[in-house]
Each structure stands twice: as structure tokens, then as C-alpha cells.
Amino acid sequence: MTLDLLTAISPIDGRYRGKTEPLADYFSEYALIRYRVRIEIEYFIALCELPLPQLAPLDKTLFDRLRDIYLNFGENEARRVKAIEEVTNHDVKAVEYFIKEAFDQIGGLEAYKEFVHFGLTSQDINNTSVPLSVKEALEHVFYPQVEALIAQLHAYADEWKDVPMLARTHGQPASPTRLGKEVMVFAYRLTEQLNLLKACKPTAKFGGATGNFNAHHVLILISTGKNLEINLFAKS
């Protein structure tokens, strides 16, 4: 059966696709793969900036080309990841191998390829990719639409501020009110709820299988004889 609006399992991708299509950039399988690639690349760059001793020689001018791997990531690249997954039978490992292929295309990175996904578990990538996708979907899609709705309600409230209407209490007609004031109630409520949502801080888990950066500490201790405080993605 061919996937289309009639055969989609969820009405989100069926009946309502016209309304939800912008969310595909954040919540589709393609989008998840792209976010995973982005996290892996930024993590690799963060290791270079620590720096891990083994990554210190890497040419920092290559960072822009590394970021191009996810900035220019499209559906064809996602299909390549899925093709690799058919062999690995592991979605995150397929992303790792895809990035190593991209390193080969850039050239000069052979000595550093094994530091892609170094010391991590798959859920480190998932538990940062998914919160980031939710954060950016809110910022780029949901917040602007709700803010536009609130602005429209404010406009209606002002336009209808002198329009009288019969109010009700306990299901019965009561003293009058104004239509603009009643619309303003909803504008206020939406604004309060939007502010509460924006105040929710996105969180993520990152740090290896048990969250302690064990492999990182061992590598640094062996390489330098020192313990190193690791604060990856602090700037983010």
C-alpha cells in the first residue's frame, strides 16, 4: 500500500497534513536523523575544543565544513543513513557511519574518525536530538502562530470594545457585558499560558552509558595524567 493522505496511519499525516506539514522539519524520521547528525557533529567539535589531546592537531578551520554536513543535510542524505541502517540494524550507529563517510569526503580526517560518537551511548544522541527538535519547533512554528492569534484577539477586543452583549450566569441570562472585554479574557489567558510554556527549560541527558563521562575521564587521565572537568555544550 502506497503511503499517501488516505493510507497514513495517523490523521496528522493524513487528513490534517496541510496544517501540520511545517512540523515535518522537526518531528519526521528525516528530521530526527538530521538532528542526530547535528548533535554528533557539534559533539565532535566540542571534543576538539576541549581539546582532547588526540584531537588537538585537527585543523580548526575545518569546523565550518564539518557543520556543513548537517546544514546541507537533505532527504538524499537521510536515505543514505537509512541504507546504512539496513546493514547495521541500528539507527544511531548508521548516523555515525554516515558521518565517517562524510569525513572521508572532506579528507584529512582519517586519524580522527573514531572520535565520532566517542564515549557516548545512543540515548545521549536521542535525549539531546529530541529536546532540541521540540525547542526549535516551539520557537519557529508554535510560538509565532500563538502570538499571531493573541495579536488578532487584541485587535478584535479593541474593535468590539463598545459592542454590548448579553452575559449569562448559571446558564441563565444576566447583566450585560461588552464583546471586546470577553474576547480580551481569552487573549489574557492565552498570554499567561504561553509565558508559562516559554518558561519551561528544555532538559537533556548526556554523558555516556551512566552519565559520568567515564570513557572521557579515563582517556584524559591516561593521556595527560590529569583529571579534566568536562563541560560540553556549556555555550549552548
Side-chain angles (χ1 to χ4, degrees):
M1 187 177 292
T2 303
L3 176 62
D4 59 24
L5 298 185
L6 293 176
T7 60
I9 294 175
S10 167
I12 293 175
D13 286 319
R15 177 189 298 270
Y16 305 116
R17 179 69 178 183
K19 302 295 184 183
T20 63
E21 189 167 3
L23 297 177
D25 282 336
Y26 305 94
F27 302 126
S28 64
E29 177 77 0
Y30 153 73
L32 177 58
I33 296 171
R34 189 186 71 236
Y35 274 105
R36 285 169 171 163
V37 172
R38 178 176 167 185
I39 293 295
E40 293 277 15
I41 293 295
E42 289 297 337
Y43 168 69
F44 179 83
I45 291 173
L47 291 180
C48 295
E49 291 178 331
L50 283 174
L52 284 182
Q54 292 81 357
L55 294 175
L58 188 142
D59 184 0
K60 306 301 188 292
T61 62
L62 290 175
F63 286 175
D64 285 343
R65 294 192 65 186
L66 295 178
R67 290 190 168 101
D68 282 342
I69 296 172
Y70 69 79
L71 291 174
N72 298 325
F73 191 89
E75 292 183 33
N76 288 334
E77 287 74 19
R79 291 188 183 96
R80 175 56 187 155
V81 174
K82 296 302 289 185
I84 297 172
E85 186 183 341
E86 290 180 2
V87 178
T88 63
N89 199 32
H90 194 293
D91 48 4
V92 177
K93 182 61 69 173
V95 167
E96 177 187 337
Y97 288 172
F98 168 81
I99 292 173
K100 289 179 178 179
E101 288 183 351
F103 277 28
D104 288 338
Q105 294 172 8
I106 292 173
L109 296 171
E110 181 67 30
Y112 311 110
K113 284 165 51 177
E114 293 310 312
F115 285 93
V116 175
H117 197 75
F118 168 74
L120 299 184
T121 186
S122 297
Q123 286 306 311
D124 288 332
I125 302 304
N126 292 331
N127 289 340
T128 44
S129 298
V130 173
L132 182 58
S133 69
V134 171
K135 176 178 181 292
E136 293 189 342
L138 288 172
E139 292 173 348
H140 300 156
V141 179
F142 185 75
Y143 292 161
Q145 291 191 14
V146 175
E147 288 164 352
L149 174 58
I150 292 171
Q152 184 64 68
L153 290 175
H154 277 282
Y156 285 148
D158 184 65
E159 180 182 351
W160 299 334
K161 62 184 179 181
D162 295 323
V163 177
M165 64 173 286
L166 183 65
R168 305 178 74 86
T169 182
H170 298 83
Q172 301 180 51
S175 54
T177 186
R178 296 186 185 275
L179 181 57
K181 174 261 177 180
E182 299 303 324
V183 171
M184 194 63 190
V185 169
F186 292 98
Y188 172 81
R189 289 175 177 173
L190 272 175
T191 300
E192 289 294 297
Q193 292 299 314
L194 183 60
N195 290 338
L196 285 173
L197 180 57
K198 288 182 176 181
C200 293
K201 182 180 179 180
T203 59
K205 175 264 182 189
F206 206 91
T210 58
N212 298 312
F213 290 104
N214 301 71
H216 305 75
H217 284 289
V218 171
L219 176 63
I220 293 166
L221 185 62
I222 292 174
S223 301
T224 68
K226 300 177 182 179
N227 285 314
L228 181 63
E229 291 297 326
I230 297 180
N231 192 18
L232 294 174
F233 304 126
K235 291 183 293 185
S236 299

